[in-house]
Amino acid sequence: MKIDIDRIDKIHSNKIGIAFFDKSEIENIDFEQDIYLLFNNTILIFNIFELEIFFQDVINTMNNVSESSKGKHSKYYKCIILETPLHQLRLVSSYNDLQLLKDLIKGTLFQIELSGILKEIL
């Protein structure tokens, strides 16, 4: 898959990655539209419901991480297995990356919700 930068409609970004819509697919922001989540050399494509499930997976993983995995020396080591909504796909991540991924998804969900509210008002 080749990403054409001219076709990207950025939703949210941070140090770990970017979430975006493909402009060629945009008609209206709806709950079935593909949301591309690019982070750590990985692109995952979700609809809004799947993204919310993945967000909960990230939170659950962070809550279940042992204190030793959160420690000063291990927060950058990729030693945590992150479940995804795709049963066959697991990702290996560091605790620091999980925090950044959580922020990326939370910001993405917020921006999509805000766009929907503004669209209704205007």
Side-chain angles (χ1 to χ4, degrees):
M1 177 180 161
K2 181 181 175 189
I3 299 175
D4 182 355
I5 197 72
D6 295 327
R7 290 182 28 196
I8 289 177
D9 187 15
K10 183 176 106 171
I11 304 167
H12 185 72
S13 65
N14 67 4
K15 289 172 117 180
I16 199 169
I18 182 171
F20 61 92
F21 293 120
D22 184 333
K23 284 183 183 178
S24 65
E25 296 177 3
I26 295 178
E27 292 176 13
N28 293 314
I29 294 176
D30 61 26
F31 293 111
E32 295 301 318
Q33 185 174 0
D34 286 340
I35 301 161
Y36 293 77
L37 194 64
L38 186 152
F39 64 98
N40 284 349
N41 300 318
T42 303
I43 296 177
L44 298 176
I45 304 169
F46 298 112
N47 64 33
I48 191 76
F49 302 113
E50 294 165 335
L51 187 59
E52 289 171 346
I53 292 168
F54 187 51
F55 182 60
Q56 194 59 53
D57 289 339
V58 172
I59 291 170
N60 290 341
T61 299
M62 291 178 73
N63 290 338
N64 292 326
V65 169
S66 68
E67 288 303 315
S68 62
S69 297
K70 295 180 193 178
K72 181 178 180 181
H73 299 292
S74 61
K75 69 179 181 178
Y76 297 104
Y77 296 122
K78 294 184 182 243
C79 59
I80 301 166
I81 296 174
L82 172 62
E83 301 283 331
T84 71
L86 306 170
H87 177 70
Q88 303 87 346
L89 179 65
R90 312 263 186 310
L91 302 172
V92 178
S93 183
S94 68
Y95 191 78
N96 189 54
D97 284 354
L98 284 177
Q99 289 175 317
L100 290 169
L101 183 58
K102 178 183 167 191
D103 175 65
L104 177 63
I105 298 169
K106 185 176 183 178
T108 300
L109 292 170
F110 174 79
Q111 290 296 333
I112 292 170
E113 185 177 337
L114 180 62
S115 294
I117 291 169
L118 290 174
K119 186 176 178 182
E120 286 180 18
I121 292 172
L122 303 174

